[in-house]
Amino acid sequence: MNPSHLNGPVLVLGSGLLGASIGLGLRAHGLDVVLSDPSPSAQAVAVDIGAGRAFDDAENLSPELVVVAAPPDVTAAVVAGALQRYPAAVVVDIASVKVAIARELEDILGSGSELLHRYVGTHPMAGREKSGPVAARSELFNSMPWVLCPSEASSKHAVKVAHSLAIDLDAVVFRFTPDEHDAAVALVSHLPQLMSSLVASRLQETPAHALSLAGNGLRDVTRIAASDPALWVQILGANAPKLLELMQGVRADLDRLINTLSAPTAPGARLDLAQLMAEGNAGQTRIPGKHGGPAQQYSWLTVLVDDKPGQIAKLLTEIGDIGVNVEDLRLDHSAGVQVGMVELSVVPSKRLSLVEDLTERGWKVIL
Amino acid sequence: MNPSHLNGPVLVLGSGLLGASIGLGLRAHGLDVVLSDPSPSAQAVAVDIGAGRAFDDAENLSPELVVVAAPPDVTAAVVAGALQRYPAAVVVDIASVKVAIARELEDILGSGSELLHRYVGTHPMAGREKSGPVAARSELFNSMPWVLCPSEASSKHAVKVAHSLAIDLDAVVFRFTPDEHDAAVALVSHLPQLMSSLVASRLQETPAHALSLAGNGLRDVTRIAASDPALWVQILGANAPKLLELMQGVRADLDRLINTLSAPTAPGARLDLAQLMAEGNAGQTRIPGKHGGPAQQYSWLTVLVDDKPGQIAKLLTEIGDIGVNVEDLRLDHSAGVQVGMVELSVVPSKRLSLVEDLTERGWKVIL
């Protein structure tokens, strides 16, 4: 058991997926974790799985750290309450928007309030489809980004404690201003979510036989359209200003495109389309590579395998024997036939030799 | 070597990725394949890799089938030329749009032309990032959809020959009208491409540190934004009418959304956002599952593995031993740390027991 960077006790307000996972992670360091949730059942489950002990109003608790893991809507009020009730505690929240919550907090406590010295807004980026304490795991934040968004009022001590929390949970710490954070997540998370939902909503009234032609392109673009509406309503609403900027840009591009496609043979139409596609190419290549490294173009190859247990394992075992590291791997959903296509990406320098080795070993490889 | 459903000779006009792959696949059945390409080097490469023999203008060739594998822009003209030059041949094209080409063809030959009896428009859905004959593989169409789009003029014989081509190449045959086809690919292929490019183009001028927060959501939505502009300009332009219908719908939703987010606290705003998200949920669940089966919600779990060769293989080997079939698999690109997250989907009934078995075997599983 590694020693914690915290002393505790740590009070976690909200024992859903994130709150309970934080509790489990801190308990693994032997810290005293106290859990409280307005839902008695959620709190009971979190306690049952070992995420901490139940909050007792009678106990005169003096936590080193209060982690507010409440829904975005009520986060600011809960943070304010914690700052007032626990005068020695550092208070952090983990909501996925930061500017709106900072504003609400100043409205409640008054801007310039001394209490704000002990508050640090944070955002662990470990969202998932599942929710609730049952899905909680201590490894949830392992190697995921955890953004610290201290305000000018935040004390050095408060930032240090927030940093220790993220480190204890094996997260990768980033430091953004609240404004930088909201602009960043609007771009890398909220806009993609909206666009994915917009594409998926087009699929509602379409004949099923049209969808039988769906390939990985559609699946990739619409995967996150399966996200939980209840949570996203709060997130999108709270980050509306940053989102609006981006959506105005998207609408301008969309209008340009609609005009172009309304007269696809007009002079310049081809150029417009080519430019939009090229802009997409340029933006896409800026996304950092695996493990936050610089963006890298990996070389892809596709291998045909029988769609039964063990086949992909056999393939990857042999690739491991060959000594090549698979950078990314996806299963191709091909229609109708029980044959799987495994798409592998490797560093370009390894691709050709890997193709030769696999072909020698009898695999059907498509470059 | 399986017997072919064709007799040959087969003339393939255009020896890029698709034309050369068709040649390789037909040669594997022992058919006489003749290749012709306006680019001498492309033709030479295709011949070198064994996709067929070079076209000889002096030879008095009488092909059973002519496959037009030219760019969409010139497809109709090449088809018309082939129908005129080879009075005994069935002629198919493989362009990814069908209505525009059928119209062009009637403009060239005159609607009601007898020549049109021998033509069938088709679309093998095996596009990839790579292009050119070097990337050609005989398995390219294996278990992928191949849409036959006969017109009312197409003869039974012509449809049968086109069907034999798709079967020879181990594709899964679908039959759509040209109009149904263009509407379907606009929805499942062309609109997602445009939306992906629109999202990715937003990434061009953003500060790099914002992109360091990018997760799988953004990567999935923008993956196809890397596609080749030159080809897509022709595809989008040729399917403009069908695309416009969809884009008008997207713009209406986008405008609705922009209005809602302009006053996120107004009455009904929450409901609007929730409805858009719910519509996305509803559409996304309609996408058919693996192998064209009915859409199914698989249960996901995530396993932490060291990011070195053989680890994922080891995991999948053990899952194979446990006897569970992995329906889908993705590597999570986590930032900064050399730990991989393997996301697995399995049929819901298998999930809990698999989690227990893997945990017993010492794997770190995140439900």
Side-chain angles (χ1 to χ4, degrees), chain A residues 103-135:
Chain A
R103 288 228 183 84
E104 261 187 88
L105 205 47
E106 290 191 348
D107 293 345
I108 299 171
L109 300 174
S111 63
S113 160
E114 296 250 321
L115 297 183
L116 292 172
H117 300 341
R118 292 184 284 114
Y119 165 71
V120 179
T122 83
H123 178 202
M125 300 188 70
R128 0 220 344 253
E129 300 74 43
K130 334 198 101 285
S131 62
V134 178

Side-chain angles (χ1 to χ4, degrees), chain A residues 72-86:
Chain A
D73 274 359
V74 298
T75 293
V78 177
V79 168
L83 287 168
Q84 287 160 333
R85 175 162 181 177
Y86 303 107

Side-chain angles (χ1 to χ4, degrees), chain B residues 151-163:
Chain B
S151 71
E152 286 161 8
S154 307
S155 72
K156 277 207 175 68
H157 170 69
V159 175
K160 183 176 170 300
V161 170
H163 189 272

Side-chain angles (χ1 to χ4, degrees), chain A residues 14-331:
Chain A
S15 61
L17 169 70
L18 296 177
S21 296
I22 289 171
L24 283 168
L26 296 180
R27 288 292 304 133
H29 290 289
L31 281 171
D32 178 22
V33 177
V34 181
L35 296 168
S36 173
D37 195 289
S39 153
S41 65
Q43 178 175 319
V45 172
V47 170
D48 284 351
I49 63 172
R53 58 188 175 93
F55 176 76
D56 174 1
D57 208 24
E59 176 187 358
N60 184 9
L61 186 71
S62 177
E64 173 193 27
L65 168 64
V66 179
V67 179
V68 175
D73 274 359
V74 298
T75 293
V78 177
V79 168
L83 287 168
Q84 287 160 333
R85 175 162 181 177
Y86 303 107
V90 168
V91 179
V92 307
D93 78 300
I94 59 167
S96 47
V97 289
K98 297 268 75 84
V99 172
I101 285 169
R103 288 228 183 84
E104 261 187 88
L105 205 47
E106 290 191 348
D107 293 345
I108 299 171
L109 300 174
S111 63
S113 160
E114 296 250 321
L115 297 183
L116 292 172
H117 300 341
R118 292 184 284 114
Y119 165 71
V120 179
T122 83
H123 178 202
M125 300 188 70
R128 0 220 344 253
E129 300 74 43
K130 334 198 101 285
S131 62
V134 178
R137 288 295 179 272
S138 60
E139 302 86 359
L140 187 63
F141 308 98
N142 189 321
S143 73
M144 303 301 280
W146 194 313
V147 189
L148 306 185
C149 304
S151 72
E152 285 162 9
S154 308
S155 71
K156 276 206 172 72
H157 170 69
V159 175
K160 181 175 171 302
V161 170
H163 189 272
S164 299
L165 171 67
I167 295 300
D168 268 5
L169 298 171
D170 299 319
V172 182
V173 180
F174 290 83
R175 188 159 170 170
F176 285 47
T177 68
D179 195 69
E180 288 171 335
H181 168 274
D182 285 7
V185 293
L187 183 70
V188 305
S189 172
H190 305 171
L191 181 68
Q193 176 62 59
L194 282 179
M195 298 291 272
S196 181
S197 296
L198 285 173
V199 173
S201 69
R202 297 288 109 208
L203 305 177
Q204 287 177 99
E205 278 97 32
T206 191
H209 72 284
L211 293 175
S212 62
L213 301 185
N216 275 344
L218 180 66
R219 286 193 174 81
D220 287 343
V221 171
T222 59
R223 185 167 283 117
I224 55 175
S227 304
D228 170 32
L231 174 64
W232 274 93
V233 164
Q234 298 183 37
I235 295 173
L236 300 174
N239 204 22
K242 291 283 188 288
L243 254 173
L244 275 173
E245 280 178 44
L246 294 171
M247 290 167 68
Q248 304 288 8
V250 169
R251 179 164 66 175
D253 284 349
L254 188 63
D255 287 344
R256 187 183 102 201
L257 204 52
I258 287 175
N259 293 334
T260 301
L261 287 173
S262 304
T265 57
R270 286 300 179 96
L271 192 60
D272 276 2
L273 290 175
Q275 191 178 345
L276 173 92
M277 295 295 301
E279 286 167 2
N281 290 170
Q284 199 265 351
T285 55
R286 291 197 67 213
I287 300 175
K290 193 175 177 186
H291 303 313
Q296 176 174 10
Q297 294 300 33
Y298 291 111
S299 302
W300 286 85
L301 54 143
T302 303
V303 184
L304 300 181
V305 300
D306 296 341
D307 185 25
K308 54 191 185 193
Q311 287 307 295
I312 300 162
K314 183 165 177 297
L315 170 64
L316 290 173
T317 304
E318 297 195 14
I319 293 175
D321 297 344
I322 295 167
V324 175
N325 194 13
V326 175
E327 295 300 331
D328 196 1
L329 185 152
R330 293 166 59 223
L331 294 193

